[in-house]
């Protein structure tokens, strides 16, 4: 009888221990999205752009800066479809920080154009970074010198709903044209420059910081031309769409023999209001206090003093706290 009772007691203890282990099994690790992992780390996924653009390599540098300066952050950069896709991924919780154009962030926050009826009031700004130059790339032999010359040509305008596509629509409109006046192709930057090199397309809209890797690659084998904008069309564009600004591609870039006048929007970093004030403050401070560690040519444009220029949407409280401490304010 005693032996039977002993076995019964052991069986009950074993069952109890298995039950407690099962209850505790879900506690290991942690949620992503800026939440703490099992070791207290904050996982931060930076949504960037295509591998041949500017966002992806710059995002990798930002991730390194965060990892080097914040002990509790585990950051990585992810290649994406860039601005529009990044806004949707942020909304869906697939990232914590994202690169985007200022115009696209404004469309997303206000539910306009490609975000019609889908206003994302959770999107908050961290700060602007550098000009995103609209480059209409073609070859010297194409005979395309101005925007009007694109009429009837095969032109890459980016994916429908992308930032590049919206820029192309705005610019064609100001010049009295629509997508119906060209043979539009929806290619990424790499395929656009390959298409120009192979003679499959005549020109491509590329909205990116200069120099852009894909365009540099093309210029290494082909004499290229960047379409110029006239002063009156620049003024007309900015008057109708204030998030544009006059810009210039310097002489020598891509082997250009003279500077080219064009327009730009701003690249910016955004996050969501789900991110904690303390974490966003620390990340904003780490990035803007370590711009000398940014191993990318765009690092020279990234400063705290200019980070609120053209933001256009509400700042995240964590970013605002940092810029308030620096005495930086929007105009």
């Amino acid at each position: 009888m005693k032996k039977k009772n002993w076995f019964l007691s052991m069986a009950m203890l074993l069952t109890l221990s298995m039950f407690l282990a099962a209850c505790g099994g879900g506690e290991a690790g942690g949620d992503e999205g800026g939440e703490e992992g099992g070791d207290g780390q904050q996982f931060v996924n930076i949504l960037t752009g295509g591998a041949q653009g500017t966002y992806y390599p710059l995002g990798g540098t930002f991730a390194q800066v965060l990892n080097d300066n914040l002990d509790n952050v585990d950051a990585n950069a992810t290649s994406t479809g860039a601005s529009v896709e990044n806004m949707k991924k942020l909304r869906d919780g697939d990232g914590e920080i994202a690169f985007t154009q200022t115009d696209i962030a404004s469309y997303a926050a206000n539910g306009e154009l490609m975000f019609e009826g889908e206003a994302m009031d959770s999107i908050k700004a961290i700060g602007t970074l550098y000009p995103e130059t609209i480059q209409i790339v073609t070859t010297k032999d194409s005979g395309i010198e101005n925007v009007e010359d694109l009429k009837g040509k095969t032109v890459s305008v980016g994916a429908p709903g992308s930032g590049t596509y919206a820029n192309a629509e705005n610019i064609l409109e100001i010049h009295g044209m629509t997508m119906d006046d060209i043979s539009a192709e929806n290619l990424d930057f790499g395929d656009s420059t390959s298409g120009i090199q192979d003679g499959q397309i005549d020109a491509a809209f590329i909205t990116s910081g200069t120099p852009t890797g894909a365009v540099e690659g093309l210029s290494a084998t082909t004499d290229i031309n960047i379409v110029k904008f006239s002063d009156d069309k620049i003024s007309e564009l900015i008057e109708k769409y204030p998030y544009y600004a006059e810009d210039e591609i310097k002489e020598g870039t891509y082997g250009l023999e003279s500077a080219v006048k064009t327009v730009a929007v701003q690249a910016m970093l955004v996050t969501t209001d789900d991110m904690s004030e303390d974490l966003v403050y620390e990340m904003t401070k780490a990035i803007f206090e370590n711009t000398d560690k940014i191993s990318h040519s765009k690092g020279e444009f990234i400063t705290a003093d200019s980070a609120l220029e053209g933001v256009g949407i509400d700042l995240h409280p964590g970013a605002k706290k940092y810029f308030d401490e620096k005495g930086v304010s929007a105009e």
Side-chain angles (χ1 to χ4, degrees):
M1 182 65 70
K2 288 183 178 179
K3 183 178 287 189
K4 182 177 181 180
N5 288 340
W6 183 84
F7 279 117
L8 181 60
S9 298
M10 291 299 293
M12 291 177 65
L13 284 172
L14 180 60
T15 301
L16 179 61
S17 64
M18 292 175 65
F19 173 76
L20 291 173
C23 289
E27 293 178 5
D31 296 330
E32 294 187 349
E35 296 297 328
E36 289 190 5
D39 56 359
Q41 289 294 94
Q42 305 279 348
F43 299 105
V44 176
N45 186 23
I46 304 173
L47 305 171
T48 62
Q52 298 201 55
T54 302
Y55 289 172
Y56 181 65
L58 186 55
T61 296
F62 283 173
Q64 189 64 54
V65 166
L66 294 179
N67 291 334
D68 288 346
N69 289 276
L70 301 177
D71 292 337
N72 65 326
V73 166
D74 182 3
N76 68 279
T78 301
S79 178
T80 69
S83 295
V84 174
E85 180 179 317
N86 289 350
M87 296 300 92
K88 295 177 179 179
K89 282 182 174 291
L90 273 187
R91 176 195 62 197
D92 296 340
D94 294 332
E96 285 66 56
I97 295 177
F99 282 77
T100 187
Q101 296 172 199
T102 47
D103 54 335
I104 300 304
S106 178
Y107 297 151
N110 297 318
E112 299 172 338
L113 294 184
M114 68 284 292
F115 301 100
E116 185 71 37
E118 299 180 50
M120 302 178 194
D121 56 6
S122 64
I123 302 295
K124 304 300 176 187
I126 292 177
T128 57
L129 302 171
Y130 60 86
E132 286 267 42
T133 307
I134 286 80
Q135 306 164 74
I136 306 177
V137 183
T138 185
T139 67
K140 274 190 175 182
D141 295 335
S142 68
I144 299 172
E145 296 292 335
N146 53 54
V147 177
E148 288 87 351
D149 291 336
L150 295 174
K151 191 169 186 177
K153 299 294 196 297
T154 302
V155 184
S156 175
V157 294
S162 69
T164 299
Y165 191 94
N167 299 147
E169 281 190 313
N170 294 159
I171 288 163
L172 291 173
E173 174 196 349
I174 292 299
H175 289 82
M177 300 163 65
T178 69
M179 290 291 179
D180 292 336
D181 292 307
I182 62 175
S183 177
E185 294 287 337
N186 306 120
L187 308 176
D188 64 20
F189 294 168
D191 289 341
S192 292
T193 52
S194 295
I196 291 172
Q197 185 174 30
D198 297 340
Q200 301 300 308
I201 64 173
D202 300 302
F205 281 82
I206 292 180
T207 301
S208 178
T210 58
T212 303
V215 184
E216 283 188 308
L218 175 64
S219 69
T221 60
T222 306
D223 290 332
I224 71 168
N225 181 46
I226 305 292
V227 174
K228 300 176 180 65
F229 286 66
S230 64
D231 289 337
D232 61 328
K233 290 301 182 184
I234 290 174
S235 297
E236 190 177 342
L237 181 69
I238 294 171
E239 182 177 355
K240 184 160 188 180
Y241 302 108
Y243 40 74
Y244 287 100
E246 184 174 332
D247 197 13
E248 182 180 84
I249 302 174
K250 295 179 181 179
E251 175 185 347
T253 308
Y254 311 133
L256 296 172
E257 296 175 357
S258 59
V260 174
K261 189 173 290 188
T262 181
V263 293
V265 290
Q266 288 267 25
M268 71 186 301
L269 287 179
V270 297
T271 185
T272 69
D273 55 13
D274 291 334
M275 295 288 283
S276 77
E277 179 175 336
D278 288 344
L279 179 57
V280 174
Y281 168 81
E282 293 294 342
M283 292 192 296
T284 305
K285 182 175 182 178
I287 290 171
F288 287 99
E289 296 287 307
N290 291 280
T291 54
D292 60 322
K293 305 296 194 305
I294 297 174
S295 58
H296 189 282
S297 60
K298 287 302 164 191
E300 65 179 292
F301 296 96
I302 301 171
T303 69
D305 290 340
S306 63
L308 300 185
E309 294 177 2
V311 165
I313 63 173
D314 292 339
L315 277 175
H316 189 283
K320 184 177 187 304
K321 178 182 176 182
Y322 170 72
F323 291 116
D324 284 349
E325 288 180 356
K326 295 285 290 184
V328 178
S329 61
E331 294 180 358

